[in-house]
Amino acid sequence: MKRLTLTAALLTAGLAHAAPVTYDIEPTHTYPSFEADHMGLSVWRGKLNKSAGTVVYDKATGGGSVDVTMDLASIDFGLDAMNAWARGDKFFNVAQNPNATFKGRFEGATGGVPTKLVGELTLNGRTKPVTLVIHQLKCVPHPMLKRELCGADASGSFNRDDFGLSAGKDWGFKMDVALRIQVEAIAKE
């Protein structure tokens, strides 16, 4: 009986240790960015300056999920005129569609670290599947907050025409957009 109790206690401790943790995305350290073609001449790069969301991560299994909301009004190409145009009714139409979201689940874990995020991107009122490759994911104790802090870098691509964002297509703009989400998130208290 003593042996059974000890085994149950060890199993319970192991399960408690392997529980998923929920993290709040740190908006001052998370800036989704993108690269898009400009008439085949150059690549425009930009970022979204405001984002929020949560990450649920089980370090034992590498499982979990991500839910990121990106404020499209915070788009920043580094050119005010381009930012204003992108926010307007000819492209993002932020008055009607103020946010983009990515919701996905971790997959392909090796040693508790997932290798990809399989999910859906919602943009311009349309939702399409998008897979992001995870280039790095690391968790450490936050030196000041004394809670766990995780950071990751993931990338993928999508066709903006699939989301009804075909501006420039008739002029030869390529519709593929590279998406990169670098994120830091702190464990909830």
Side-chain angles (χ1 to χ4, degrees):
M1 185 65 167
K2 206 181 233 187
R3 187 177 208 163
L4 185 58
T5 304
L6 179 60
T7 302
L10 288 173
L11 282 173
T12 303
L15 290 174
H17 178 67
V21 175
T22 300
Y23 302 82
D24 286 323
I25 290 175
E26 171 51 50
T28 60
H29 290 83
T30 302
Y31 298 97
S33 61
F34 54 89
E35 295 181 349
D37 175 63
H38 187 250
M39 299 187 344
L41 298 172
S42 63
V43 175
W44 279 79
R45 292 176 177 85
K47 65 179 181 168
L48 296 159
N49 289 324
K50 293 181 182 175
S51 57
T54 57
V55 175
V56 177
Y57 179 40
D58 183 337
K59 290 192 290 184
T61 67
S65 62
V66 173
D67 186 343
V68 180
T69 299
M70 298 159 273
D71 178 356
L72 295 175
S74 73
I75 194 164
D76 185 358
F77 284 97
L79 178 62
D80 291 339
M82 182 64 118
N83 298 343
W85 177 85
R87 289 185 206 106
D89 61 1
K90 302 234 183 315
F91 202 66
F92 285 135
N93 193 3
V94 298
Q96 188 172 6
N97 298 298
N99 299 312
T101 61
F102 179 81
K103 296 179 182 188
R105 68 188 178 286
F106 292 130
E107 288 191 3
T110 302
V113 178
T115 59
K116 61 184 170 181
L117 269 167
V118 177
E120 295 181 326
L121 176 66
T122 299
L123 180 61
N124 197 33
R126 298 181 187 186
T127 302
K128 301 287 181 186
V130 171
T131 296
L132 302 175
V133 173
I134 298 173
H135 303 286
Q136 112 179 3
L137 189 153
K138 180 180 178 179
C139 298
V140 298
H142 192 288
M144 294 177 287
L145 299 176
K146 306 303 181 203
R147 290 184 278 152
E148 190 167 56
L149 172 69
C150 294
D153 181 54
S155 67
S157 64
F158 63 92
N159 183 313
R160 65 183 174 92
D161 195 29
D162 291 345
F163 294 90
L165 300 171
S166 58
K169 184 176 181 178
D170 293 340
W171 296 338
F173 283 62
K174 297 173 189 162
M175 295 290 103
D176 290 329
V177 174
L179 174 65
R180 189 158 206 131
I181 300 179
Q182 125 283 322
V183 61
E184 290 185 20
I186 188 86
K188 287 185 178 268
E189 289 188 271

